Amino acid sequence: MSKEPLMTLVANELDDPSLQGLGMYISLRGMSDAGNTHSQVANELFGKLDSELFASFDADELVAYTSQRPRVTFLGDHFAGYQAPRLEIYLMTDELEQRFWLVTGVEPDLKWERVITELISFVKAFNVDLVVSTASLPMPVPHTRPVGVTAHGNRKDLIENISTWSPTVESPAGLTSLLEIRLNDIERDVVGYSLHTPHYLAESEYPAVAVAALEYVGAALKLALPTDNLREAGRLVDGQLAEQLENSTDVRQMVDGFEKRFDAHSQEHERRSLLLDEGENLPDAEELGTRVEDFLATIEDTDDWLNSTDNGQLPGDPE
C-alpha cells in the first residue's frame, strides 16, 4: 500500500523557468528557538515582503499535539480562533525584487525522514541553489556584546572564520540538522547559522538575534531582507535591559562575568563577517546605498532580470 505524500503543491505555474535556481531559507519553530526568533523573523518577512503560498505539508500527520499544543482563544463563554499547526513553503520576493523559497512553520515531531525526502525532491525539482537555515540557542553570553554564531555546512566560503564558538559535542538533533546531513550526502549546497541568545532572555522576544538571523541569511543568499522593525524593537529592549542593570547589582554582576568570558574568548578567535568587502572593510550606510543604486542601475528590464537564470546566477550578482 503506497503512502500518500505529505506535501501538496498548491501553486499553478510549476513549469515557470524563473523558479529554477532560487535559494531557500528554512526557519522553523522548534526546540532551538531561544528568544522567539522564528516568530519575529516570520512577522518581519510576511509583514514587509510579497509572499505566495506554494506548497503545504499535512501538519496533522507530523505534530504530536501533546508536545506542541496549538493555541486557542477563549472568549468569555466559548472557544474560538484555533491556530492549527502549519508547515509550508512560500515563494517570497525581497526588497530588491529577488525571489527565494521560504520553508516556515512548526518543526515536525514525526516522520522526519519522509519530510526530508519530500523537501529534497523539491530542492531537486526546482534546482535550489543553496539551502540556508537558522536556529537560536540559549547560551551563557551577555546581551551587551554582538550576537554570536556557530556556522556549519558545506559551503566553506559562507562559514569559514564566521563562528564565535565551534565545539565538538553531541546534542539533540533537529529536522534542519538532519536535512543538512542528507543534502551534504547528495552534494547539494547547504549552510546553517545557529545564533547565540543570552540564556536569561531565552524565553522572551529578543530582537537582536532575529536581526542577526536575517543578516546572515541575506548575506548568504544575496537577498535584501527587512530588519527595520526588529532594529527599532531591539533599541527598546536594550533600553529596558540597561535600566534593569542599573537597578540590580546581582544582574549587573552576572552580566559582567559573561562579558569577561566573552571578551577573553573573542580575543583568541578572529572572526570574518559575511558583510566585509575584499579589503576586509565593513561598508557604511552611504556605501551600502551606493551599492544598491549601482546594482539597480545594471537592470534595464526588471521582468527580464527576474526571469533570467544562468547556472543559478542572476544578472548583477558578483562573479
Side-chain angles (χ1 to χ4, degrees), residues 223-241:
L223 298 171
L225 301 179
T227 57
D228 289 349
N229 290 343
L230 290 170
R231 292 181 190 279
E232 179 60 30
R235 285 188 282 270
L236 294 175
V237 170
D238 286 343
Q240 295 168 355
L241 291 171

Side-chain angles (χ1 to χ4, degrees), residues 61-267:
E61 291 285 327
L62 304 175
V63 174
Y65 289 96
T66 52
S67 66
Q68 293 195 63
R69 290 192 181 273
R71 307 295 292 179
V72 66
T73 303
F74 184 68
L75 300 174
D77 60 358
H78 66 281
F79 288 102
Y82 173 66
Q83 300 173 31
R86 297 186 299 177
L87 178 60
E88 298 167 324
I89 302 178
Y90 285 85
L91 181 62
M92 309 291 293
T93 305
D94 80 350
E95 295 180 322
L96 290 179
E97 300 299 317
Q98 302 170 105
R99 296 192 290 180
F100 65 100
W101 302 110
L102 173 66
V103 181
T104 184
V106 299
E107 179 183 41
D109 296 303
L110 310 170
K111 304 180 181 179
W112 280 13
E113 292 288 5
R114 286 185 61 192
V115 171
I116 286 173
T117 296
E118 295 188 24
L119 278 174
I120 289 177
S121 295
F122 188 98
V123 166
K124 290 179 177 179
F126 292 97
N127 192 29
V128 172
D129 179 58
L130 170 67
V131 177
V132 181
S133 67
T134 57
S136 180
L137 310 174
M139 299 279 285
V141 295
H143 69 276
T144 52
R145 296 294 185 267
V147 174
V149 64
T150 299
H152 42 89
N154 59 14
R155 278 284 299 273
K156 297 301 182 183
D157 58 317
L158 298 178
I159 64 172
E160 280 189 338
N161 299 322
I162 299 296
S163 297
T164 53
W165 185 59
S166 302
T168 298
V169 62
E170 186 173 293
S171 65
L175 181 83
T176 54
S177 58
L178 180 56
L179 178 62
E180 181 179 308
I181 293 172
R182 297 289 184 259
L183 287 171
N184 185 64
D185 288 343
I186 60 172
E187 299 182 343
R188 290 278 180 168
D189 286 353
V190 56
V191 296
Y193 300 100
S194 298
L195 289 310
H196 305 164
T197 298
H199 70 87
Y200 51 91
L201 299 174
E203 300 301 319
S204 307
E205 283 201 353
Y206 186 49
V209 74
V211 170
L214 290 174
E215 285 182 339
Y216 279 109
V217 173
L221 292 177
K222 299 183 177 67
L223 298 171
L225 301 179
T227 57
D228 289 349
N229 290 343
L230 290 170
R231 292 181 190 279
E232 179 60 30
R235 285 188 282 270
L236 294 175
V237 170
D238 286 343
Q240 295 168 355
L241 291 171
E243 184 176 344
Q244 291 183 27
L245 289 182
E246 187 176 340
N247 296 330
S248 173
T249 302
D250 291 341
V251 174
R252 179 69 263 180
Q253 289 178 343
M254 177 189 70
V255 173
D256 283 345
F258 289 152
E259 287 176 341
K260 290 178 182 178
R261 287 192 290 272
F262 185 95
D263 293 343
H265 181 77
S266 296
Q267 291 172 4

